[in-house]
Amino acid sequence: MRSSRLAAPTALLAAATLALAGCGSDSGSSGEVRLRMIESLTSPERTKLIKTLIADFEKANPGVSVELVSPPLDSADQKITQILQTKKDLDVLEVRDHTAKSFSNNGWLAELPTDAWPGWADLTDLAKKKTVEVGGKPYLIPYGFYQRTLFHRTDWGLTQPPKTWQELYEAGKRMTSGDRFGYSFRGGKGGADYAVMMISAYNGEALDPEKSFFLKDKRTIFATPEAAQALDLYVKIFKEASPPDSVSWGYPEMVQGFTSGVTGMLIQDPEVIKTVEESGVKAWSTAPIPKGPTGYAFQPVGYAGWGVTSFSKHQKEAVKLVQFLSESKQSIAFAKGNSLIPISKQAQNDPQFSQGAWKAYLEAQQDPQQVITIRPVDYPGWSQFNVDSDRDVQALITGKKTVAEVLTSWDAFWADQGRKVS
Amino acid sequence: MSSVARPAFTARKARFIALCLLPGVIFVVVFTYYPMIRGAVIAFQRYNLFDLTSTPFVGLENFRSVLAEDRFWTALRNTGTWVVVSLFFQFFLGFGLALLLRRQFRGRGLYQAWVFFPWAMSGFLIGLLWRWMFNGQFGVVNDLLLKAGIIDERIGFLASPGWAMTSVIVANVWYGVTFFAIMIMAALQSVPGELYEAASVDGASRLRQFWHVTLPHIRPTLALIVLLRIIWILNFPDLIYAMTGGGPAGGTDIVTTFLIQQVIGGDYGRAGAVGLLVLGLLLSFSVFYLNVTRFERSR
């Protein structure tokens, strides 16, 4: 009697539990394979483009469907990390250069088979190199690269783009008057990246590109007198050639500064090409990033790509999806849609990647003194340094810290990291 | 007779109620208590996202390293400013709005909806919105002040610690006034009309009515919503994070944005320690506040 009275609510509870558990099910009723995929660098246009590529994949692979999860950009990596910690319901994910090491360290990424995949031969050398950059194993296939270039107005009295940081400072100072400023300075999130770029250029040949925060003699790049010269100039560029407000500028503000006619120069990724083309700015051009007095410029190539989780129940299909997205047709479409440096050799024949604003990239690639470096993302303190160094840069340009204080603390931090890793 | 049947009925009823409550209890345990306890445990571990294959217990090491950091103490001082100043303006402006909105006038409903609208928005979104409005070069606030002749040159609202703190507080006041207006208006509507009538008959002025009738009646509500709001403001890093990221140079860092930075830096152990410190701070304050306001004895 009693048990029959309890049967209804118990059944209801059981049904609700099953329904909740079924939310993340990965197999359709008719034996169809359903993959779950998550992106990180989310934007509305990009999501639309990925969905189009996924639709093509589904068409080419009947019986496989893909559900795309698109978390908001600012918290996407945290969300991906949380999902990975549960080791549930995720097959394909976007892996960034910042996250690749920790994801692989924790055993969340599967190695991707590259030998038997015909598309491997079509990848550029850079793409192949970055595929196995973390631990020498293919945990992701990049979908494109972010490399910085100098955007500059050609109607603000600048006949030639600045070739060195010193020239950039002088040109910026000349451009600055009233509501116009020479340079889109990044003082907010990601600002320390630019300080490191200058410090690297001032260290020149002594720098070890494979371990870009260290010199060939194993000291850190922050321990030299050249580093202090670079940071001194960095502060001068802010104070004399940039909007005072740029102490808090991040990516959107610095781009907006350039496209709205507030600033005359900007150093940014190729995705900005599209933004500038669509803005009202008519007279502009691009050039390789400035060099230091050593004649060298150093910068890392930012990248992200698609990877497969180690706990995916549909490894075969997930790998198939990653390979499909990395094939020339799809990867070129993705690179075009997002203004990225493509991973496919075939893209070199595409006029979009060899003309106009893109020419600066070709120019940089052909210059042996425009050197690509590897960020120290495989050091345990990398993430913490990103947070702290941005703070330090703001403290430096607002006069709360001196050049010596900043460099001493960075040097101590990385010397300690060097000991930990070696 | 009934004394025999009743316990059986009560036990059955209790079982049924327990069964009905079970899904809710499970939900709260899984989504509130489990993460809280897990976070507390992590505070005593070396728990770095870089390598989760080794997470040994390190005792109070995370607490020691957090408390040894100047940035934490700066964040704590900023938290005091952020909470006290935000609360002061939110409370008094909210009170004023509630008194205004209590009256009958044309379009009152529309006006109420317009006033309450900020409360429906996410803190992060509000932060982004104000970040652009306060921008020194292309922000609307500078434009309006220039056009009105109040300022001669643009102000870098987010470029110096003082201005940045003022800016985030302004945005927070804009957001939080609504809460006080809603709650105080509800409390005001609970004051019986006959009390005012009696006070009028006794010749009490509007001010005396407010002081001797309205305030005593709504004091318990005020005490509670002030406490709630203190807790919420302290636990509201979204707005600051979107607006300034805690900058410039930590000038708008509060303890919860400091905590977020530990998470982004991948050090969940230290983040857990900061979380427990914040929890301890809030608990101590709440006990102290409730004792001071003698809330438990208020009617």
Side-chain angles (χ1 to χ4, degrees):
Chain A
M1 274 293 278
R2 190 176 299 161
S3 62
S4 70
R5 265 197 297 271
L6 285 177
T10 308
L12 192 69
L13 194 67
T17 310
L18 284 172
L20 280 171
C23 285
S25 84
D26 55 0
S27 284
S29 52
S30 57
E32 183 190 68
V33 170
R34 192 158 77 227
L35 297 175
R36 267 186 116 210
M37 173 179 176
I38 192 162
E39 60 173 323
S40 165
L41 298 166
T42 312
S43 78
E45 295 85 11
R46 185 181 190 265
T47 303
K48 217 158 81 180
L49 177 58
I50 295 173
K51 281 184 172 166
T52 310
L53 297 174
I54 285 172
D56 291 344
F57 173 77
E58 287 171 338
K59 219 178 287 174
N61 294 274
V64 183
S65 67
V66 184
E67 179 201 349
L68 178 69
V69 181
S70 306
L73 173 72
D74 284 288
S75 58
D77 285 329
Q78 277 79 36
K79 191 169 174 84
I80 292 171
T81 304
Q82 283 164 0
I83 295 171
L84 287 169
Q85 282 178 292
T86 65
K87 294 195 174 185
K88 275 196 183 81
D89 300 328
L90 189 64
D91 304 286
V92 176
L93 73 161
E94 184 168 352
V95 186
R96 298 174 61 186
D97 48 4
H98 292 285
T99 55
K101 183 66 181 178
S102 64
F103 287 2
S104 63
N105 262 357
N106 295 316
W108 295 330
L109 297 178
E111 281 185 53
L112 300 167
T114 53
D115 299 339
W117 175 46
W120 179 251
D122 179 55
L123 296 185
T124 59
D125 289 345
L126 184 64
K128 284 177 181 171
K129 191 178 167 186
K130 294 295 176 187
T131 297
V132 294
E133 186 169 276
V134 175
K137 291 173 179 170
Y139 288 118
L140 70 134
I141 298 175
Y143 52 64
F145 299 104
Y146 300 90
Q147 193 178 338
R148 287 184 183 140
T149 192
L150 172 71
F151 292 75
H152 61 93
R153 300 285 297 240
T154 52
D155 56 349
W156 282 21
L158 197 67
T159 48
Q160 283 294 313
K163 289 192 164 45
T164 65
W165 285 104
Q166 183 64 34
E167 284 179 22
L168 182 138
Y169 158 67
E170 285 158 9
K173 220 173 129 178
R174 280 196 303 275
M175 285 179 183
T176 302
S177 75
D179 274 350
R180 269 191 186 183
F181 298 90
Y183 181 61
S184 259
F185 191 90
R186 185 171 189 163
K189 200 177 172 188
D193 239 17
Y194 289 76
V196 168
M197 199 156 65
M198 280 183 74
I199 290 167
S200 305
Y202 271 66
N203 275 302
E205 261 187 310
L207 183 140
D208 179 359
E210 298 295 308
K211 292 180 174 173
S212 63
F213 281 20
F214 296 91
L215 303 172
K216 286 166 184 160
D217 68 6
K218 302 283 186 277
R219 285 183 304 150
T220 79
I221 59 169
F222 310 110
T224 62
E226 289 81 6
Q229 283 172 32
L231 270 198
D232 280 333
L233 185 66
Y234 177 78
V235 175
K236 278 166 79 175
I237 290 172
F238 167 71
K239 285 186 172 162
E240 298 172 42
S242 310
D245 194 52
S246 60
V247 68
S248 61
W249 281 14
Y251 173 86
E253 288 94 348
M254 65 195 295
V255 174
Q256 175 76 13
F258 186 78
T259 55
S260 64
V262 171
T263 61
M265 289 182 287
L266 161 79
I267 293 176
Q268 254 305 341
D269 291 333
E271 65 200 41
V272 175
I273 292 173
K274 208 173 170 184
T275 314
V276 180
E277 280 170 348
E278 289 165 2
S279 76
V281 180
K282 293 284 174 277
W284 63 283
S285 187
T286 56
I289 60 162
K291 294 173 176 177
T294 57
Y296 278 88
F298 293 95
Q299 67 163 318
V301 165
Y303 67 95
W306 305 113
V308 171
T309 59
S310 56
F311 47 85
S312 166
K313 292 192 183 82
H314 304 288
Q315 292 266 347
K316 200 173 88 190
E317 291 82 0
V319 167
K320 219 172 179 179
L321 173 59
V322 170
Q323 290 177 343
F324 176 86
L325 293 171
S326 309
E327 283 163 7
S328 60
K329 187 181 164 213
Q330 287 75 237
S331 72
I332 291 173
F334 192 73
K336 276 185 175 180
N338 290 291
S339 253
L340 294 165
I341 296 169
I343 58 167
S344 167
K345 283 176 185 169
Q346 291 183 40
Q348 288 166 351
N349 310 321
D350 196 305
Q352 178 173 321
F353 298 111
S354 58
Q355 289 172 11
W358 286 89
K359 260 168 61 180
Y361 290 97
L362 282 178
E363 214 179 303
Q365 279 165 22
Q366 286 156 3
D367 181 352
Q369 292 187 317
Q370 286 276 349
V371 183
I372 299 297
T373 61
I374 293 176
R375 280 192 184 113
V377 293
D378 50 352
Y379 286 73
W382 169 248
S383 299
Q384 194 57 54
F385 181 76
N386 277 333
V387 175
D388 294 346
S389 58
D390 281 349
R391 286 292 140 113
D392 292 337
V393 157
Q394 280 190 328
L396 174 71
I397 59 181
T398 53
K400 289 190 161 29
K401 277 189 177 179
T402 64
V403 165
E405 283 171 335
V406 170
L407 287 175
T408 302
S409 70
W410 290 5
D411 177 46
F413 184 91
W414 282 101
D416 178 53
Q417 290 293 308
R419 281 190 292 273
K420 276 179 181 161
V421 169
S422 63
Chain B
M1 193 176 75
S2 61
S3 60
V4 175
R6 205 161 171 169
F9 169 74
T10 308
R12 212 167 46 237
K13 201 168 158 186
R15 267 200 302 276
F16 176 73
I17 290 168
L19 197 68
C20 289
L21 287 173
L22 195 63
V25 170
I26 290 170
F27 193 86
V28 170
V29 166
V30 169
F31 291 104
T32 303
Y33 290 107
Y34 171 72
M36 204 167 87
I37 293 162
R38 186 87 181 86
V41 172
I42 282 172
F44 299 94
Q45 288 177 281
R46 185 185 305 129
Y47 202 94
N48 196 308
L49 197 58
F50 183 78
D51 185 4
L52 295 177
T53 54
S54 166
T55 54
F57 278 90
V58 290
L60 296 172
E61 181 51 42
N62 290 322
F63 293 88
R64 264 195 292 272
S65 83
V66 165
L67 294 171
E69 235 188 287
D70 286 346
R71 284 175 186 177
F72 175 74
W73 296 104
T74 305
L76 203 59
R77 278 193 299 275
N78 288 341
T79 305
T81 309
W82 161 250
V83 172
V84 171
V85 181
S86 295
L87 187 81
F88 177 85
F89 285 104
Q90 285 181 10
F91 180 81
F92 285 105
L93 292 173
F95 212 131
L97 265 178
L99 290 171
L100 281 173
L101 291 172
R102 193 172 53 153
R103 297 177 183 177
Q104 288 295 337
F105 55 88
R106 266 174 69 118
R108 178 168 167 246
L110 264 176
Y111 189 67
Q112 279 180 348
W114 178 72
V115 166
F116 299 155
F117 158 73
W119 196 246
M121 290 171 74
S122 93
F124 196 80
L125 192 65
I126 289 167
L128 289 177
L129 193 82
W130 282 91
R131 175 175 162 173
W132 284 103
M133 282 167 58
F134 274 126
N135 186 290
Q137 298 306 317
F138 16 79
V140 69
V141 175
N142 263 306
D143 259 2
L144 289 173
L145 294 174
L146 278 168
K147 280 173 182 153
I150 296 167
I151 55 172
D152 298 326
E153 55 178 26
R154 293 176 186 281
I155 297 170
F157 285 109
L158 305 179
S160 71
W163 272 118
M165 184 51 98
T166 307
S167 305
V168 293
I169 286 172
V170 166
N172 192 24
V173 168
W174 176 81
Y175 170 70
V177 157
T178 300
F179 170 79
F180 276 109
I182 295 168
M183 299 305 282
I184 294 170
M185 210 171 81
L188 289 171
Q189 281 165 353
S190 72
V191 183
E194 52 269 27
L195 290 182
Y196 291 114
E197 286 166 24
S200 295
V201 169
D202 289 345
S205 66
R206 276 198 174 277
L207 191 67
R208 284 180 75 86
Q209 282 180 31
F210 175 77
W211 197 254
H212 294 288
V213 177
T214 311
L215 263 186
H217 215 90
I218 65 171
R219 194 176 294 134
T221 310
L222 293 184
L224 185 66
I225 59 177
V226 165
L227 176 64
L228 275 179
R229 200 69 198 111
I230 288 171
I231 293 168
W232 288 349
I233 292 173
L234 199 143
N235 279 325
F236 187 50
D238 329 26
L239 187 144
I240 291 182
Y241 202 78
M243 241 176 117
T244 64
T252 55
D253 248 343
I254 58 170
V255 281
T256 37
T257 57
F258 181 78
L259 188 151
I260 290 174
Q261 282 152 25
Q262 305 313 306
V263 172
I264 290 172
D267 199 334
Y268 285 26
R270 271 167 56 99
V274 177
L276 276 188
L277 288 169
V278 172
L279 187 69
L281 184 80
L282 282 173
L283 277 175
S284 317
F285 174 78
S286 301
V287 169
F288 167 78
Y289 177 88
L290 290 174
N291 274 321
V292 166
T293 55
R294 271 173 271 150
F295 180 76
E296 68 281 357
R297 269 177 273 164
S298 58
R299 279 170 297 119

